[in-house]
Amino acid sequence: MIMTKPLDGIRIIDFTHVQAGPACTQLLAWFGADVIKVERPGSGDVTRNQLRDIPGADALYFTMLNGNKRSLTLDTKKPQGKDILEKLIKMSDVMVENFGPGALDRMGFTWEHIQELNPRMILASVKGFSDGHHYEDLKVYENVAQCAGGAASTTGFEEGPPLVSAAALGDSNTGMHLAIGILAALHQRNKTGKGQKVSAAMQDCVVNLCRVKLRDQQRLDRTGVLEEYPQYPHGKFSDVVPRGGNAGGGGQPGWVLKCKGAPADQNAYIYFTIQEQAWEATCQAIGKPEWAKDPAYCTAKARQDKIFDIFAYIETWLADKSKFEAVDILRKFNIPCAPVLTMKEVANDPSLRASGTIVEVDHKVRGKYLTVGSPIKFSDLKIEVTESPLLGEHSDQVLTEMGYSDHYISELHTNHVI
């Protein structure tokens, strides 16, 4: 029996570069789409050379975002290149781009022209700010998006500056949102027969992940305090959501606590959550069974003004336990917790390897490298992660499939069109 993939038969023109767009198209490639990455002859995606660790090999920045794709080099400024792109548009289902505002129009590929070539085409765009936004002409990168989307102002500790997250809330997060939009547009096209434009703005996608902070702003406006934040009850609140340190965002007190080896080992910590429904079990786990019935501790309200004293005690209990030993004890009591894993520990985690979340891939130039696999798992689909393409590796193959002769392809090479 031949296993089919959900997006078999869908062809995607990938006009994206760096991270947000490539993350989107890679996800769709994992699901079976034929993603043709169109790149500038001779240079290609800028991340092929950024932060390079092996001379002469594509950088990990590129390889980890462009697996499962084919690379077609094409100079769209030349008439032959434009003709090829027009034909490719006629034969494809989706075009994904993250050019600056108006770049496609200046290339001669307005939305109206694309619709004339292929009324079923879906044009998907990554933007920094949404159309009509007063900052729509600003160039946006990861940290810019995190700051503009409200994430940075609420991250970090009260006495420190705003902080950006190492997680790609602006880039990869936007790519994931755009992929959802593309899938929805494809589904709608199945009903209507018509393509459409889809876009995801980086600021908007960061805001979408900050909805609990928008929730907190409205609560703060109404009550003047946020009881689950470390500033309560001893500190003061201004009129904006404060930086909450490592507090839990869902009303369950939590904090990062030192284990055996800290502070010499900067990552010898666990995240510990005190859940109301697990308070009695928590008391048993940390050797304080008397707190379970003590009126000074037995309710969340009673504990609130002593929460950091409780965390300080738990740290004394953790002092002779590694982060892994501590979690192994605490999970038996159904206490939400986790070790603070380093990226080295993540890379070597046997469970992440077994699930395909971390995969090892063979590359014809750089050799073996680690990358991420699909975070989305299926019961009837095994996601295969393959190597990223060399620059222009599939140009001849793609053009042959489009019906161009070997002689014409040779001419394109001579004229530096591909």
Side-chain angles (χ1 to χ4, degrees):
M1 180 177 175
I2 298 174
M3 179 70 76
T4 61
K5 296 181 179 179
L7 298 184
D8 278 349
I10 298 295
R11 181 178 291 114
I12 297 175
I13 304 170
D14 183 359
F15 254 129
T16 70
H17 54 282
V18 191
Q19 186 176 166
C24 167
T25 52
Q26 179 169 255
L27 186 70
L28 301 174
W30 285 338
F31 297 164
D34 177 17
V35 176
I36 300 171
K37 188 174 179 74
V38 181
E39 300 184 77
R40 208 176 278 139
S43 56
D45 190 321
V46 67
T47 59
R48 286 185 181 271
N49 301 309
Q50 281 187 344
L51 307 174
R52 185 177 262 169
D53 59 314
I54 299 176
D58 288 331
L60 285 165
Y61 199 0
F62 178 85
T63 63
M64 293 176 69
L65 284 156
N66 292 283
N68 295 65
K69 303 178 185 179
R70 298 197 286 172
S71 173
L72 164 68
T73 50
L74 191 63
D75 185 348
T76 57
K77 292 180 180 178
K78 295 180 178 177
Q80 288 173 305
K82 272 188 169 46
D83 290 344
I84 291 169
L85 180 55
E86 286 194 348
K87 186 171 183 180
L88 190 57
I89 288 171
K90 292 176 181 177
M91 299 170 61
S92 300
D93 301 278
V94 183
M95 178 190 286
V96 189
E97 60 89 18
N98 60 349
F99 295 124
L104 266 183
D105 292 356
R106 292 190 294 274
M107 287 169 57
F109 290 90
T110 63
W111 171 234
E112 291 73 23
H113 182 45
I114 290 171
Q115 282 186 302
E116 288 171 3
L117 294 169
N118 183 354
R120 291 172 57 81
M121 173 63 75
I122 292 159
L123 176 61
S125 303
V126 174
K127 299 176 179 295
F129 295 90
S130 57
D131 288 338
H133 193 286
H134 53 281
Y135 287 155
E136 68 177 338
D137 60 338
L138 266 179
K139 201 167 201 174
V140 177
Y141 293 106
E142 173 65 50
N143 293 351
V144 175
Q146 289 195 33
C147 290
S153 70
T154 57
T155 303
F157 291 88
E158 187 176 30
E159 63 275 13
L163 287 178
V164 296
S165 170
L169 308 181
D171 276 324
S172 285
N173 168 49
T174 301
M176 301 302 106
H177 277 84
L178 187 61
I180 294 168
I182 291 169
L183 294 174
L186 284 170
H187 187 62
Q188 184 168 343
R189 192 186 70 178
N190 289 339
K191 300 176 181 179
T192 66
K194 292 174 58 179
Q196 63 180 303
K197 289 199 292 185
V198 181
S199 68
M202 294 171 73
Q203 181 193 38
D204 297 356
C205 293
V206 173
V207 169
N208 190 43
L209 292 191
C210 290
R211 67 184 68 186
V212 297
K213 299 301 181 181
L214 183 59
R215 172 204 68 188
D216 292 347
Q217 184 62 57
Q218 295 172 86
R219 292 169 56 228
L220 182 64
D221 291 342
R222 185 175 297 276
T223 66
V225 296
L226 296 168
E227 293 184 3
E228 75 278 16
Y229 278 67
Q231 288 83 353
Y232 182 87
H234 305 297
K236 292 183 178 180
F237 288 87
S238 70
D239 62 349
V240 299
V241 173
R243 290 187 267 288
N246 288 313
Q252 308 289 344
W255 208 253
V256 171
L257 303 179
K258 293 194 291 283
C259 296
K260 184 173 71 176
D265 178 353
Q266 294 181 325
N267 294 292
Y269 290 82
I270 66 168
Y271 194 85
F272 191 103
T273 307
I274 296 177
Q275 274 192 319
E276 179 68 13
Q277 63 267 35
W279 174 242
E280 187 170 347
T282 300
C283 295
Q284 293 292 331
I286 64 175
K288 278 288 187 179
E290 65 272 22
W291 280 356
K293 304 299 181 185
D294 187 335
Y297 291 91
C298 66
T299 67
K301 190 171 184 64
R303 291 190 294 273
Q304 186 62 56
D305 64 343
K306 297 180 282 291
I307 198 68
F308 283 99
D309 295 331
I310 295 170
F311 285 140
Y313 173 79
I314 296 172
E315 280 195 335
T316 66
W317 178 81
L318 291 167
D320 64 348
K321 302 170 185 67
S322 74
K323 60 187 179 185
F324 298 109
E325 291 168 341
V327 170
D328 280 342
I329 293 169
L330 295 169
R331 65 181 181 163
K332 294 173 185 174
F333 291 87
N334 203 28
I335 295 169
C337 61
V340 173
L341 296 181
T342 66
M343 289 311 300
K344 186 169 187 175
E345 288 165 337
V346 167
N348 294 307
D349 188 298
S351 293
L352 294 178
R353 295 288 189 104
S355 70
T357 300
I358 298 290
V359 296
E360 188 175 71
V361 178
D362 277 316
H363 188 274
K364 57 180 65 67
V365 175
R366 75 160 29 253
K368 293 185 183 298
Y369 67 97
L370 290 183
T371 189
V372 296
S374 174
I376 304 165
K377 316 300 183 189
F378 299 85
S379 63
D380 290 331
L381 173 67
K382 181 174 175 56
I383 302 294
E384 180 187 7
V385 179
T386 61
E387 65 179 332
S388 60
L390 301 179
L391 180 61
E393 179 179 351
H394 304 96
S395 295
D396 291 6
Q397 181 187 78
V398 171
L399 292 171
T400 298
E401 290 172 1
M402 293 175 66
Y404 292 103
S405 67
D406 291 346
H407 175 75
Y408 188 69
I409 294 171
S410 177
E411 181 184 312
L412 295 173
H413 280 289
T414 301
N415 295 333
H416 306 291
V417 177
I418 60 173

